[in-house]
Amino acid sequence: MSRIAGTFERLDREKRCALMPYLAIGFPERDSVLELAPALVEGGADMLELGMPFSDPLADGATIQRATERALRNGIRVEDCLNTVRRLRRQGIDIPLLLMGYYNPIMRYGEERFAEHAAAAGVDGLIIPDLPPEEAEPLRAACAERGIDIIFFLTPTSTDERMAQVAQRASGFIYCVSLAGVTGARSQLSPALGPFLERVRRFSTLPRAVGFGISRPEHVAQISSMAEGAIVASALINKLEQLPPAQHRDAAREFVAALSSATRRG
Amino acid sequence: MTYPEQLPDGAGRFGPFGGRYIPETLTAAVSELERAYLEAREDVGFRAELDRLHRTYTGRPTPVTFAARLTGHCGGARIWLKREDLAHTGAHKINNALGQGLLAKRMGKRRVIAETGAGQHGVATATVCALLGLECVIYMGTEDMARQRPNVFRMRLLGAEVRGVDSGSRTLKDAINEAMRDWVTNPDSYYLLGSALGPHPYPLMVRDFQSVIGREARAQLLEAEGRLPDVVVACVGGGSNAIGIFHAFVGDSEVALRGVEAGGLGVESGRHAARFAGGQLGVLHGTRTLVLQDEDGQIALTHSVSAGLDYAAVGPEHAYLKETGRASYTYATDSEALEVFQLLCRTEGIIPALESSHAVAEAVKLARAMRPDQIILVNLSGRGDKDIFSVAEQLGVKMEP
């Protein structure tokens, strides 16, 4: 069984939803993730989403744009992202690690080559916002062969027909976008989230992880009763931006610990 | 190789180019747009309304002008200009903006979003929104706003809200990123994309709306010269004016099609926007095409004296026209464009847009090597009033703006 499937199965037995925080590789410094990732694991992260920088991140809001622009200035390349995963595995981090990035750098690296190197580094899944399932076939096949899941998205505006199409090609889990918009912390979850997640369940038995706009323990608590996973990105980056780097490790651990305490199904 | 009649296919592909590489958050909006456009395309009433507005508002058909003194100056082939500079708002951009504006109205949309580089598409969109009573938000890189101040003021006069974009290189590609983010956040708005780029159905739709240029020019030249031109020349940024004039001639195998990209400071300098000279297969803004990028797949910063050609990706149909050999592409540098800008002013009494000057520069080169009984048709895609400040600066002339 894959690490991702195994994690969701274990958490289901423990009656918890998965907590997946996001870090941008190369933010704030080149190798920061090597220190921050273990802190997130200590804090209770069940999976990690690691951002690969791209010059034109059109699905991301201002926070993640800033973080990935900084990563580019720090000289982060695709190879550095793969190396980061390799080094985290060497440090003994054993939870699912997913790379989030845009399609062009992967295409340029070579899809087969990327899948091969990602598998060797210890990557469990890929999240590529500008690669919808109907355009993803070559990369999906190359990844599936090597046990890597490509995570596809569904949104509250997805039609039933679309949900069926996406569900057919999905593996790992379904990334359920909580709202119409780009990534970024919001103060409240949409009241339409529950009915949306129920619709997703009609089309797929895969775990549903909710992302976009999640920033507080009470959001995670709400999600734990409706879905199998919660993804937190911009809120953590915002938190780190406000603090001097010397405090990042502790702040990241505490931030995730507070969210993790809300993952138990009520 | 013959060029297939029916392109793109149902998935928006031109051979290996095109497609729809968009976030899932845009899928519903783009599918709705595709359905609505394919329906409008077959609707006689929609086409009649567009034709009527083109006659009574845009000023179509625009004429073709025989450039007698320019032809004499070159001493070769006869040069004809298709005068899109005479269309309302001063460029071909109005053809697409009007078509899509009518579509937005038909879809019941009230708010229109657009990006702009040089400001011509922004002005055309603001104009159409004023005409049709639609709310209009234009995204423009702050770098471009500084280069094109008159157009920023024009858009505001026309009632549009111009939002400066400060991210990335602060030019067209960043304005497109920001417009797409707005659309994701406001899926009920209409995104009026300005060139033959982006996810399907935009490359098809923009070509359809711009192809009026070639249809008119083909008929006008047949009437004036009794035959088709030997070469059709157009500048290529995203490629909407070029695809607009090429499309009617694609089936005429005896007519050569020649696209001209921005060579900037020279291709070897790395500061240019010549995708066919330095680009690699990639995906940008929803379409698979040739993209200027670094070895790690990050999108390259481009340079051109003309903001309208300053973009890292070329429209997917041009990539396919090149691959099939149906069209060929070259580039003109900043200094060649500037020189021809002045030449056309003095020989024909026409101030061309810097973008269009790239096409004229290539026509001048071609004409010299051709016989006097041969014909070159150039798409003069826009007028150059917007460019006089940057041209003055390039020529070292001090002018109070």
Side-chain angles (χ1 to χ4, degrees):
Chain A
M1 186 186 294
S2 74
R3 271 201 201 91
I4 292 176
T7 300
F8 279 109
E9 227 183 75
R10 175 175 55 78
L11 290 171
D12 189 53
R13 282 197 306 272
E14 296 172 8
K15 297 199 168 12
R16 280 177 49 216
C17 88
L19 179 66
M20 180 161 80
Y22 165 99
L23 290 170
I25 296 171
F27 171 85
E29 305 303 332
R30 259 190 85 82
D31 286 331
S32 298
V33 166
L34 297 177
E35 288 193 7
L36 292 174
L40 298 187
V41 175
E42 282 168 40
D46 300 297
M47 314 198 285
L48 286 180
E49 181 184 4
L50 301 172
M52 305 197 289
F54 181 51
S55 52
D56 296 81
L58 59 82
D60 284 303
T63 302
I64 293 182
Q65 285 177 52
R66 267 199 312 276
T68 54
E69 268 182 35
R70 175 139 180 191
L72 282 177
R73 282 201 302 277
N74 286 335
I76 298 296
R77 302 165 55 92
V78 171
E79 221 160 284
D80 300 309
C81 297
L82 295 169
N83 270 327
T84 299
V85 173
R86 189 172 303 122
R87 290 164 77 180
L88 290 175
R89 290 297 183 212
R90 246 186 255 142
Q91 289 181 17
I93 288 188
D94 199 33
I95 62 172
L97 297 177
L98 292 92
L99 286 176
M100 182 279 186
Y102 288 79
Y103 184 44
N104 197 60
I106 294 172
M107 193 174 157
R108 185 66 195 262
Y109 193 87
E111 294 178 287
E112 278 287 328
R113 180 169 167 246
F114 184 83
E116 191 184 321
H117 292 183
V123 171
D124 299 294
L126 298 178
I127 300 175
I128 310 170
D130 62 343
L131 189 66
E134 56 274 29
E135 306 285 9
E137 205 37 46
L139 183 62
R140 201 197 62 79
C143 285
E145 239 173 73
R146 297 169 173 91
I148 296 176
D149 294 313
I150 298 196
I151 309 303
F152 292 124
F153 294 76
L154 283 172
T155 80
T157 56
S158 302
T159 59
D160 285 1
E161 188 193 355
R162 183 67 186 163
M163 285 197 176
Q165 277 172 9
V166 172
Q168 205 188 0
R169 291 172 165 120
S171 69
F173 61 88
I174 299 204
Y175 194 128
C176 298
V177 178
S178 70
L179 45 76
V182 293
T183 58
R186 315 287 203 279
S187 59
Q188 279 186 329
L189 293 182
S190 156
L193 189 55
F196 161 53
L197 292 168
E198 281 166 30
R199 280 180 62 221
V200 175
R201 179 50 81 230
R202 296 202 339 250
F203 293 93
S204 173
T205 55
L206 286 174
R208 298 156 299 175
V210 181
F212 286 39
I214 296 164
S215 58
R216 301 176 181 175
E218 53 268 37
H219 297 160
V220 174
Q222 273 175 274
I223 288 167
S224 69
S225 66
M226 300 186 278
E228 291 71 43
I231 303 168
V232 182
S234 300
L236 175 55
I237 304 283
N238 285 339
K239 179 91 196 164
L240 297 179
E241 279 181 326
Q242 290 161 14
L243 297 169
Q247 294 174 29
H248 280 188
R249 252 195 74 99
D250 289 343
R253 188 182 53 238
E254 284 159 25
F255 182 80
V256 166
L259 295 172
S260 178
S261 67
T263 54
R264 192 157 296 281
R265 244 161 241 153
Chain B
M1 183 168 179
T2 54
Y3 191 77
E5 281 284 300
Q6 290 298 327
L7 279 180
D9 67 15
R13 296 246 172 222
F14 303 87
F17 308 108
R20 185 183 280 174
Y21 295 82
I22 51 169
E24 195 63 32
T25 41
L26 277 179
T27 301
V30 172
S31 303
E32 180 199 1
L33 172 67
E34 183 190 10
R35 266 195 312 278
Y37 176 61
L38 294 179
E39 221 179 83
R41 198 177 188 228
E42 302 304 321
D43 179 348
V44 180
F46 178 79
R47 292 198 308 243
E49 175 63 0
L50 181 57
D51 284 350
R52 186 187 70 79
L53 283 169
H54 272 330
R55 275 195 315 276
T56 60
Y57 186 75
T58 312
R60 303 210 72 89
T62 58
V64 289
T65 300
F66 175 57
R69 289 195 356 103
L70 182 66
T71 297
H73 175 88
C74 299
R78 297 164 64 77
I79 301 174
W80 284 84
L81 305 173
K82 175 62 173 167
R83 301 292 306 280
E84 291 301 296
D85 61 315
L86 295 178
H88 181 42
T89 71
H92 72 290
K93 291 291 184 188
I94 190 79
N95 302 329
N96 171 53
L98 192 55
Q100 288 200 53
L102 285 179
L103 180 63
K105 194 93 182 166
R106 180 186 164 100
M107 291 171 73
K109 305 288 185 182
R110 306 165 85 98
R111 179 176 181 269
V112 167
I113 316 155
E115 80 296 336
T116 196
Q120 289 306 100
H121 174 59
V123 167
T125 302
T127 298
V128 165
C129 287
L131 175 72
L132 301 177
L134 296 162
E135 184 190 339
C136 182
V137 176
I138 306 284
Y139 289 94
M140 187 170 188
T142 47
E143 174 79 26
D144 287 337
M145 286 175 78
R147 309 195 253 195
Q148 304 283 345
R149 272 177 305 162
N151 272 343
V152 175
F153 186 58
R154 260 179 214 123
M155 288 184 269
R156 288 181 172 147
L157 278 175
L158 290 159
E161 181 191 341
V162 182
R163 294 188 185 167
V165 177
D166 247 333
S167 58
S169 58
R170 300 165 189 188
T171 60
L172 178 59
K173 81 179 171 73
D174 311 286
I176 297 178
N177 291 339
E178 212 51 43
M180 285 192 161
R181 289 180 188 121
D182 183 316
W183 199 20
V184 166
T185 311
N186 303 289
D188 290 337
S189 293
Y190 184 95
Y191 180 25
L192 208 161
L193 183 62
S195 195
L197 308 158
H200 179 61
Y202 285 106
L204 163 72
M205 179 164 65
V206 176
R207 179 191 76 196
D208 283 353
F209 289 136
Q210 292 294 1
S211 62
V212 63
I213 304 172
R215 273 198 310 278
E216 286 176 7
R218 192 174 181 281
Q220 288 164 326
L221 261 194
L222 276 175
E223 192 183 321
E225 289 274 9
R227 68 178 187 88
L228 294 175
D230 297 276
V231 193
V232 178
V233 185
C235 65
V236 183
S240 71
N241 90 82
I243 209 71
I245 197 163
F246 287 176
H247 191 63
F249 295 97
V250 162
D252 302 316
S253 56
E254 69 274 30
V255 179
L257 306 175
R258 186 85 165 149
V260 188
E261 299 185 282
L265 301 178
V267 166
E268 56 296 331
S269 74
R271 302 202 59 210
H272 63 90
R275 290 68 46 104
F276 288 116
Q280 303 276 339
L281 188 61
V283 165
L284 180 64
H285 294 141
T287 193
R288 182 182 175 105
T289 184
L290 290 176
V291 180
L292 287 170
Q293 51 184 300
D294 72 10
E295 286 168 5
D296 205 43
Q298 306 297 339
I299 306 308
L301 297 183
T302 51
H303 165 82
S304 170
V305 68
S306 80
L309 302 182
D310 200 351
Y311 180 66
V314 68
E317 190 164 6
H318 288 291
Y320 189 63
L321 284 166
K322 166 84 189 305
E323 185 169 283
T324 56
R326 180 60 192 95
S328 65
Y329 295 83
T330 184
Y331 58 85
T333 62
D334 285 355
S335 57
E336 289 169 328
L338 278 164
E339 198 177 306
V340 163
F341 177 96
Q342 300 167 79
L343 178 65
L344 198 69
C345 289
R346 289 191 308 260
T347 55
E348 298 294 335
I350 294 171
I351 303 177
L354 278 173
E355 289 78 7
S356 322
S357 302
H358 287 71
V360 181
E362 174 64 10
V364 165
K365 279 186 224 169
L366 290 174
R368 288 181 170 141
M370 288 166 71
R371 296 187 314 269
D373 63 331
Q374 292 183 297
I375 301 170
I376 301 175
L377 170 66
V378 186
N379 196 11
L380 199 75
S381 55
R383 67 175 185 229
D385 304 61
K386 68 182 175 62
D387 293 317
I388 56 171
F389 295 105
S390 31
V391 170
E393 194 186 313
Q394 296 283 334
L395 299 178
V397 177
K398 282 216 183 340
M399 220 166 48
E400 290 301 317

